[in-house]
Amino acid sequence: MEIKFKKLHPDAKIPSYAKFGDAGLDITATGSFWSNNYVEYQTGLSIEIPEGYVGLIFPRSSISKTSLVLANSVGVIDSGFRGEITFRFRNVANSYYENNFYQPGDRIGQIVIMPFPKIELVEVEELTETERGTSGYGSSGA
């Protein structure tokens, strides 16, 4: 599948798979913006997600080596969005350690592009009965 992208910054890197069989394409930072509550990394890239597909933005597993947490858990890039891909992280340690954050040139996240079904919701009076029913958190035991 071909996906169009645009470099918005001369240092932008083309997203790529690190290993054969990877689901996510790694995305690299070109810069960052700090505030009291978060750090936002720019990627210097915009992308054209085809209609019927969505781009899902996840942190890389290297996030565990930092005190950062992706602020919106999973980012959603809709097919109509043409702005720059950015990653906004919260610093849960509330302190700055130079080696504990990503730097420009570091791979900061990944994008997974997936098809999604068009959903039509139908209001009903009752839902189909199941074994689980309305049991919620912890309903399977542990």
Side-chain angles (χ1 to χ4, degrees), residues 22-45:
D22 286 355
L25 295 138
D26 287 342
I27 298 181
T28 302
T30 56
S32 62
F33 168 81
W34 285 86
S35 84
N36 291 336
N37 300 320
Y38 64 86
V39 57
E40 184 172 305
Y41 290 95
Q42 295 87 26
T43 66
L45 296 170

Side-chain angles (χ1 to χ4, degrees), residues 20-136:
F20 177 79
D22 286 355
L25 295 138
D26 287 342
I27 298 181
T28 302
T30 56
S32 62
F33 168 81
W34 285 86
S35 84
N36 291 336
N37 300 320
Y38 64 86
V39 57
E40 184 172 305
Y41 290 95
Q42 295 87 26
T43 66
L45 296 170
S46 60
I47 192 166
E48 188 173 316
I49 305 289
E51 189 174 326
Y53 288 78
V54 63
L56 301 175
I57 299 292
F58 297 94
R60 295 180 65 248
S61 60
S62 63
I63 194 75
S64 64
K65 298 176 184 177
T66 74
S67 60
L68 300 174
V69 174
L70 194 60
N72 57 341
S73 299
V74 176
V76 174
I77 300 178
D78 295 311
S79 63
F81 180 68
R82 295 294 185 269
E84 182 177 13
I85 297 172
T86 60
F87 288 75
R88 185 176 284 186
F89 294 95
R90 291 194 197 292
N91 177 12
V92 295
N94 293 322
S95 60
Y96 181 79
Y97 299 99
E98 187 67 35
N99 294 329
N100 203 23
F101 292 92
Y102 296 116
Q103 303 300 319
D106 289 346
R107 293 173 296 158
I108 56 167
Q110 54 190 321
I111 183 169
V112 176
I113 298 173
M114 299 179 59
F116 65 88
K118 185 69 174 170
I119 304 296
E120 182 181 332
L121 294 175
V122 178
E123 185 176 2
V124 296
E125 295 294 323
E126 296 292 328
L127 299 175
T128 306
E129 295 287 329
T130 66
E131 181 181 340
R132 181 174 179 176
T134 59
S135 298

Side-chain angles (χ1 to χ4, degrees), residues 3-25:
I3 300 286
K4 296 177 183 177
F5 73 94
K6 181 179 178 181
K7 283 188 175 186
L8 306 172
H9 189 281
D11 295 335
K13 303 265 191 281
I14 299 170
S16 62
Y17 296 106
K19 303 232 184 308
F20 177 79
D22 286 355
L25 295 138

